[in-house]
C-alpha cells in the first residue's frame, strides 16, 4: 500500500503529526518502536508554562489535540503570571502521566485514516533526491508520498548515571540506530545534544507537612477552546521545598564522578533547565534552590522531583535528596539520568519543515534541536499539515512571526539554527501583545478552517464568540455614565473622580479600573445581565480596552516588516559574489538560503547594512 504520510516516532511530535495528517484526509501510518508508549510524558508530568502555554492554545486553535488530551487528563491547572499584563499570562496543567499516554492512543485509534506498525525504522529510502519510504529493523518496507521523522531522544541515545553509560532512548527503552548514518550518507549534517530528568520517588515516603502547599487556581480554566472538555472540579496539590548547604555539599562529593564534569558528556544541555549539579556549580552564592514535588497522577504514589534533574551517581542523588525537608526517608522509584542523542541542525530545513536536501522528507521535534513537549508537538502539527499538503500537491502552510508563537519557533530554528536545546520564551516573540494565549482561536482557527482541519461548526462557535466581544466593546464605546454612578468606583480604586459624564470605554482605560469594578455600575449592570456575558468575555473586553494602544502599535510594526516579507529573494541568488556583504552574512545567507528579505534580516549575523545591500542587488 502507498501511504500519503508515514510518521516515524510516536512521541508528542509524532502523535500530533499523525493526527493533523489524518484529519486532513491523508492515509497515515505511524511506525514506532513501542505502541504502549505513544504520547509518553518522558520527563515532567505537566503541559504548558511561560510561552509554552501559548503554544498549546495555538496548537488547539489549529485543530491539534494536545490541549484536549491535557484537559481530559489534568489533575491541576494554573494560569501563571496573572500579576503581569495579559501578554505574559500562561496556562499550565499537571497531568495524569499514564492517562495522558492512554488518552493520546485512544484519540489516534478513533481516526479511520490512521494505521499502526511497531518496529524500529533503520533506513530512509531515497530515490533521485526524493524520499519514497522507510525500511524497518525486521526488513519490512513501507512506501509513502511523504515521510515525517520525529525521533525524539532516541537517535543513537546514550543514558548517563554517574560513571555508568548504556544505550537507550529513554529509561527502560532501547535507542534507535541506522537513521543518522543513512541521512549523513545523503549529505545531512548531524550533531549531539543532551537533556536530563530528575529521580522519581515514592510519595508514601515523603513528609508533605514539612513542605509548602502549592494548590491550583481557585477557579481553574482549561486549555482547549473546544466545548468537548470542561474545567477541573477537583484538583491535586503539588508541594514546594528547598535544598540547603548540606545538600550542596553532598552533591559536590559526586562531582568527580559526574559525567557532566569528567568529560563523559561532551554535548550541550538546555541552558534554561540546568541539572542540579550545574546549578550548584554555576551559582555558588545561592544557599538554596526550589524543589517541587509533583504527583504523576490521580492514583499513583509516584512523585516527579522537579528542580532536581541530575546525572550524578544514584547513591549521591539519594544521599543529597535526604537532606531536603520532607525527603528525609525518601525511597526511589528510579534515579535521575542524562541522555545524549543525535539531532540535525534545523538550518537544513525549509519553513514548512521539509528538508532542503531531500524532497518529501520532513523533520519535527527534538531531531531539530528543540526541548520540551510543547515545542515538539507544535512542530509535529506543522510537519503533519505540510506533509499532507505536499502529498495533496497543495501550497505549503507557514505561520509568520506576527501570527503565532509557532511561527516564531520555526522561523528561529530555520533562520538562526541552534547549538543548544531550543526552548520558547515570551521574550523571543517581538509581537507578544498580539500573540496572547486568550486570542489564539481568533488568530488561527480561520486558517485551520481554510486548510480543512476545522469544521463549520467550530467556526460558527468562534464567530458567535467574537460577535459577543464586539457587542461589549461597542456598548462601552457608545455608552456614557454619570458622575454619580462612576465616582464611587473611582474612589474605591483610588482614581480621580469626575465632574461630568464620559464614555464607559474611557473609564475602563484607566490603569486602576477593572471591568469587574464596573459590572454593577447602573448602565452596565442591566446590559451584562441581559446578555448573560461570561467572565471570559468580560476579561476579553478589559484586555481589548486597556491594551488597544499597544495592540495597534504592534500591528503597525508588523505591517512594516511585512513589506520585507513581500520582497522575495531568487532561489539561485549568489551571495558569495557580493563583496559589500560582510563575510559572516555571505556565509550564513549561502547556507540558510532565506526565501524573503524578512527571513534574511532575522538571521543572526546579518546586519541592517547587509539588508540594505541586498535591497540594492535585488533591484529594490
Amino acid at each position: 500500500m502507498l501511504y500519503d504520510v508515514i510518521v516515524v516516532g510516536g512521541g508528542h511530535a509524532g502523535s500530533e503529526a499523525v493526527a493533523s495528517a489524518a484529519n486532513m484526509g491523508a492515509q497515515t501510518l505511524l511506525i514506532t518502536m513501542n505502541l504502549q508508549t505513544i504520547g509518553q510524558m518522558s520527563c515532567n508530568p505537566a503541559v504548558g508554562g511561560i510561552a509554552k502555554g501559548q503554544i498549546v492554545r495555538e496548537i488547539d486553535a489549529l485543530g491539534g489535540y494536545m490541549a484536549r488530551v491535557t484537559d481530559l487528563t489534568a489533575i491541576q491547572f494554573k494560569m501563571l503570571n496573572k500579576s503581569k499584563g495579559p501578554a505574559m499570562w500562561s496556562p499550565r496543567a499537571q497531568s495524569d502521566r499514564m492517562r495522558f499516554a492512554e488518552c493520546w492512543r485512544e484519540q489516534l485509534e478513533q481516526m479511520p485514516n490512521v494505521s499502526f506498525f511497531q518496529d524500529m525504522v533503520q533506513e530512509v529510502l531515497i530515490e533521485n533526491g526524493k524520499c519514497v519510504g522507510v525500511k524497518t529493523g525486521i526488513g519490512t518496507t513501507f512506501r509513502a508520498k511523504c515521510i515525517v521523522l520525529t525521533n525524539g531522544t532516541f537517535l543513537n541515545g546514550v543514558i548517563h548515571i554517574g560513571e555508568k553509560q548504556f544505550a537507550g532512548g529513554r529509561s527502560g527503552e532501547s535507542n534507535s540506530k541506522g537513521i543518522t548514518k543513512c541521512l549523513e550518507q545523503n549529505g545531512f549534517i548531524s550533531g549531539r545534544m543532551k537533556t536530563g530528568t530528575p529521580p522519581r520517588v515514592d510519595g508514601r515516603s515523603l513528609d508533605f507537612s514539612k513542605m509548602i502547599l502549592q494548590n491550583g487556581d481557585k477557579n481553574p480554566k482549561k486549555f482547549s477552546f473546544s466545548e468537548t472538555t470542561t474545567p477541573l472540579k477537583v484538583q491535586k496539590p503539588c508541594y514546594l521545598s528547598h535544598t540547603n548547604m548540606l545538600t550542596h555539599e553532598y552533591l559536590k562529593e559526586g562531582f568527580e564522578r559526574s559525567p557532566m564534569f569528567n568529560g563523559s558528556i561532551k554535548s550541550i544541555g538546555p541552558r534554561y533547565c540546568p541539572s542540579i549539579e550545574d546549578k550548584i556549580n554555576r551559582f555558588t552564592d545561592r544557599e538554596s534552590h526550589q524543589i517541587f514535588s509533583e504527583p504523576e497522577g490521580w492514583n499513583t504514589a509516584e512523585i516527579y522531583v522537579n528542580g532536581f534533574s541530575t546525572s550524578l551517581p544514584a547513591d549521591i542523588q539519594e544521599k543529597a535528596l535526604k537532606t531536603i525537608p520532607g525527603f528525609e526517608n525518601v525511597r526511589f522509584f528510579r534515579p535521575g539520568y542524562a541522555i545524549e542523542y543525535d539531532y540535525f541542525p534545523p538550518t537544513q530545513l525549509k519553513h514548512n519543515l521539509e528538508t532542503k536536501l531531500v524532497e518529501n522528507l520532513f523533520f519535527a521535534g527534538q531531531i531539530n534541536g528543540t526541548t520540551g513537549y510543547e515545542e515538539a508537538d507544535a512542530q509535529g502539527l506543522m510537519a503533519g499539515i505540510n506533509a499532507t499538503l505536499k502529498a495533496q500537491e497543495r501550497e505549503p502552510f507557514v505561520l509568520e512571526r506576527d501570527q503565532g508563537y509557532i511561527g516564531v519557533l520555526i522561523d528561529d530554528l530555520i533562520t538562526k539554527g541552534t547549538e543548544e536545546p531550543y526552548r520558547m520564551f515570551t521574550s523571543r516573540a517581538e509581537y507578544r501583545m498580539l500573540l496572547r494565549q486568550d486570542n489564539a482561536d481568533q488568530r488561527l482557527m480561520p486558517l485551520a478552517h481554510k486548510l480543512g482541519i476545522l469544521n463549520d461548526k467550530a467556526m460558527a462557535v468562534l464567530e458567535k464568540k467574537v460577535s459577543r466581544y464586539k457587542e461589549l466593546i461597542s456598548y462601552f464605546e457608545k455608552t456614557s455614565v454619570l458622575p454619580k454612578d462612576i465616582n464611587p468606583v473611582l474612589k474605591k480604586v483610588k482614581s480621580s473622580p469626575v465632574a461630568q459624564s464620559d464614555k464607559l470605554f474611557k473609564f475602563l482605560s484607566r490603569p486602576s479600573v477593572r471591568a469587574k469594578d464596573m459590572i454593577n455600575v447602573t448602565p452596565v449592570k442591566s446590559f451584562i445581565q441581559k446578555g448573560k456575558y461570561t467572565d471570559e468575555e468580560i476579561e476579553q473586553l478589559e484586555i481589548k480596552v486597556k491594551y488597544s494602544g499597544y495592540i495597534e502599535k504592534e500591528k503597525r510594526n508588523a505591517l512594516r516588516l511585512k513589506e520585507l516579507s513581500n520582497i522575495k529573494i531568487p532561489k539561485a541568488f549568489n551571495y558569495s559574489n557580493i563583496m559589500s556583504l560582510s563575510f559572516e552574512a555571505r556565509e550564513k545567507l549561502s547556507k540558510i538560503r532565506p526565501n524573503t528579505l524578512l527571513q534574511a534580516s532575522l538571521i543572526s549575523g546579518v546586519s541592517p547594512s547587509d539588508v540594505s545591500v541586498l535591497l540594492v542587488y535585488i533591484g529594490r
Side-chain angles (χ1 to χ4, degrees), residues 101-200:
E102 180 186 26
C103 187
W104 249 119
R105 179 161 175 174
E106 288 173 356
Q107 298 289 331
L108 295 179
E109 287 189 356
Q110 290 168 18
M111 298 176 186
N113 294 335
V114 177
S115 299
F116 301 87
F117 193 80
Q118 180 171 293
D119 198 4
M120 180 195 300
V121 170
Q122 292 188 330
E123 185 180 351
V124 178
L125 305 178
I126 299 170
E127 298 174 2
N128 301 318
K130 294 184 178 182
C131 189
V132 296
V134 295
K135 189 175 182 179
T136 73
I138 61 173
T140 306
T141 296
F142 295 96
R143 298 179 77 86
K145 296 175 183 177
C146 290
I147 310 295
V148 181
L149 297 184
T150 67
N151 302 86
T153 60
F154 283 76
L155 293 179
N156 294 322
V158 175
I159 292 174
H160 299 264
I161 304 177
E163 307 94 326
K164 298 177 181 178
Q165 299 177 24
F166 46 94
R170 186 162 50 203
S171 179
E173 297 182 56
S174 63
N175 61 8
S176 174
K177 299 175 182 177
I179 288 180
T180 297
K181 183 179 179 181
C182 173
L183 292 175
E184 288 177 340
Q185 289 173 344
N186 282 276
F188 287 90
I189 298 169
S190 70
R192 296 283 279 178
M193 280 191 176
K194 168 251 175 190
T195 190
T197 190
R200 308 307 200 273

